[in-house]
Amino acid sequence: MSDSVSGCTRPRTSLSEAEVEALVRGICFKTGPPRRLGVEVEWLVHELRAPQLPVTPERLEAAYAALRTVPLRSALTVEPGGQLELSSPPASSLTEVIATVSADLDAVRAVLREDGLALVGLGHDPWHEPRRYLRQPRYDAMEACLDRTGPAGRAMMCSSASVQVCLDAGHEEPGPLGLGRRWWLAHHLGAVLVAAFANSPLAAHRPTGWLSTRQLTWTRIGAGRAGGPRMDADPRGAWARHVLDSPVMCVRRDGGPWDVPEGLTFRDWIRTGAPRPPTREDLDYHVTTLFPPVRPRGHLELRMIDAQPGDDGWIVPLAVTAALFDDPEATETAYRAVKPLAERTLGLPAPHNPLWLDAARGGLADAELREVAVTCFTTALDALPRLGAAPEVVEAVTAYLDRYVALGRCPADDLLDRQRGIDGRPHGKDFRP
């Protein structure tokens, strides 16, 4: 969501379909031994003492102005609804990622606390209606485009937050750490991650009937914008076709509002050359307007995990995902555990298939997803020491397994319990995450 692209003032050279396919194949999947890891953590920003109250744009602007003076190693960006995102630099170890982002979050929280604000780890805002904070041509065009499919687009832009794990694409050759295996695993294990970390069961103070309302929102945006390609033996070819056949969100202009065409794919744009021939810069931008659950950006972005509760809740999905993808033994075990789930996709791309929908709706109440999740978490725990994870990280994953996964629960269940007033906690609109 926070991808930024510079203006359109550079000389333009039009592209052919063959050139687009070659560029996508060469840029979006860069292979090699998995050595680098990253995370992007998004947060809702609420009132510290009364999170149900909306934060005024003026207060957000003052807080963000103060944050821009704070030296951080992670990139700090602001989302359309005023959410904050920290994107770690690529790191050589899980320990390095956690240390960097934890230190940056401490600094960010200290500044926000001075303004009476707090970072809140929820996949979807349970209280407030979507409200645009940023007014930029990109987001004006995005809103106009997504409004055509209903209100889900504005909810995604302004009311959602996630934990995105970034992994190397993998080896060129076959094997547990090969590109083909990692691509396939990301699209099937992804449903397990949706279920295990679902943390957005509420909207407008009420249960939505889905444990991950955030994932439901992405699904409703449509397959062309927020869907993945069909699974193919050649991930590069499948993604290149998807890029070409996905709808263009907008045609940028050097000045004035951007055009928002309807029903124009990038392939159509190349063939018609209207309203002007697309360029390499247009292709780069087009890729940033596609939001599949797994997005290749030279590395693999896993975008399906809801933002997590607590200051350090983001560490568990990061650690589990890193272990299951970057430890060869764990990867092989996860692949075998997840493989039977593939039948439930009916051959349809994620997230618009029954497996992903079941994961978002019911979480680990689904017996098969729960069984696979227990295997994957247990496997990750075995692998984390081999990746050099600190004891406190192993303890956090163990606690999550015991509190949620082994019981067929997820953080969304806690939110629903609080909303119902279970265990003597406040209920209705008065609860706090």
Side-chain angles (χ1 to χ4, degrees):
M1 277 293 302
S2 61
D3 305 287
S4 60
V5 176
S6 59
C8 322
T9 57
R10 286 179 285 180
R12 295 182 174 126
T13 304
S14 60
L15 292 170
S16 68
E17 291 179 50
E19 288 171 327
V20 168
E21 185 158 351
L23 285 168
V24 171
R25 283 173 170 270
I27 293 170
C28 292
F29 295 93
K30 296 179 182 177
T31 53
R35 293 196 180 103
R36 310 293 272 178
L37 178 69
V39 69
E40 300 175 16
V41 287
E42 293 177 333
W43 303 86
L44 303 176
V45 179
H46 287 170
E47 292 283 354
L48 182 61
R49 300 190 182 279
Q52 308 90 343
L53 298 178
V55 182
T56 66
E58 292 77 16
R59 289 192 65 208
L60 285 177
E61 180 55 40
Y64 296 163
L67 281 175
R68 285 190 280 272
T69 69
V70 178
L72 303 171
R73 288 198 61 204
S74 303
L76 187 146
T77 51
V78 179
E79 297 293 318
Q83 311 98 305
L84 277 186
E85 178 179 279
L86 282 178
S87 302
S88 72
S92 58
S93 70
L94 175 63
T95 299
E96 183 183 345
V97 176
I98 293 173
T100 297
V101 177
S102 295
D104 288 343
L105 281 170
D106 286 345
V108 168
R109 287 193 177 97
V111 172
L112 292 178
R113 196 178 302 116
E114 290 293 319
D115 288 303
L117 302 176
L119 299 178
V120 178
L122 289 167
H124 186 277
D125 195 315
W127 300 291
H128 308 122
E129 292 296 319
R131 182 187 63 175
R132 280 273 302 283
Y133 168 73
L134 293 182
R135 295 290 170 181
Q136 300 172 2
R138 169 182 172 87
Y139 297 124
D140 292 344
M142 183 182 293
E143 184 177 278
C145 175
L146 296 180
D147 277 352
R148 292 170 178 159
T149 60
R154 294 195 184 200
M156 176 274 287
M157 292 173 64
C158 303
S159 301
S160 68
S162 68
V163 176
Q164 299 179 19
V165 181
C166 300
L167 304 156
D168 282 333
H171 290 285
E172 193 68 42
E173 62 269 18
L177 300 183
L179 165 63
R181 174 72 66 84
R182 288 164 78 84
W183 181 248
W184 185 95
L185 183 62
H187 284 86
H188 294 83
L189 178 61
V192 181
L193 298 176
V194 168
F197 295 110
N199 187 37
S200 52
L202 304 169
H205 304 284
R206 294 183 178 87
T208 64
W210 294 69
L211 296 186
S212 180
T213 301
R214 174 183 168 274
Q215 188 60 53
L216 170 65
T217 297
W218 282 107
T219 302
R220 286 178 170 171
I221 289 171
R225 183 69 52 206
R230 289 185 176 274
M231 288 294 93
D232 192 291
D234 175 18
R236 290 187 176 92
W239 180 247
R241 290 190 295 274
H242 185 73
V243 168
L244 279 164
D245 293 329
S246 292
V248 173
M249 177 175 285
C250 54
V251 178
R252 297 172 299 158
R253 293 179 177 273
D254 292 333
W258 295 357
D259 293 332
V260 184
E262 187 167 7
L264 178 73
T265 68
F266 204 86
R267 193 187 302 275
D268 294 336
W269 191 8
I270 292 171
R271 291 177 176 178
T272 64
R276 60 170 173 77
T279 67
R280 166 67 184 274
E281 290 76 17
D282 292 318
L283 172 63
D284 294 342
Y285 184 82
H286 173 62
V287 171
T288 73
T289 68
L290 304 179
F291 309 117
V294 182
R295 185 165 67 172
R297 300 288 302 279
H299 55 275
L300 302 182
E301 285 181 353
L302 275 62
R303 304 169 52 87
M304 71 288 296
I305 301 169
D306 281 358
Q308 295 296 290
D311 289 353
D312 300 324
W314 57 275
I315 293 175
V316 174
L318 169 66
V320 169
T321 305
L324 295 177
F325 276 86
D326 288 352
D327 179 85
E329 183 179 336
T331 298
E332 189 62 34
T333 301
Y335 173 74
R336 291 196 301 268
V338 169
K339 194 171 183 180
L341 296 176
E343 295 182 4
R344 292 174 58 175
T345 69
L346 303 181
L348 299 173
H352 299 86
N353 64 51
L355 173 64
W356 279 69
L357 294 174
D358 289 345
R361 183 185 294 109
L364 296 183
D366 184 297
E368 189 176 20
L369 283 169
R370 174 185 175 184
E371 180 181 356
V372 174
V374 169
T375 298
C376 288
F377 271 71
T378 303
T379 299
L381 279 171
D382 291 339
L384 283 170
R386 295 194 292 269
L387 295 180
E392 55 267 28
V393 174
V394 177
E395 291 170 6
V397 175
T398 301
Y400 197 96
L401 171 60
D402 293 341
R403 178 177 177 180
Y404 293 117
V405 180
L407 302 179
R409 289 175 61 87
C410 59
D413 292 303
D414 288 350
L415 293 173
L416 290 172
D417 286 350
R418 296 179 195 178
Q419 203 263 354
R420 296 165 185 146
I422 295 176
D423 294 332
R425 293 169 176 172
H427 61 87
K429 66 182 181 180
D430 295 321
F431 81 87
R432 296 186 186 186

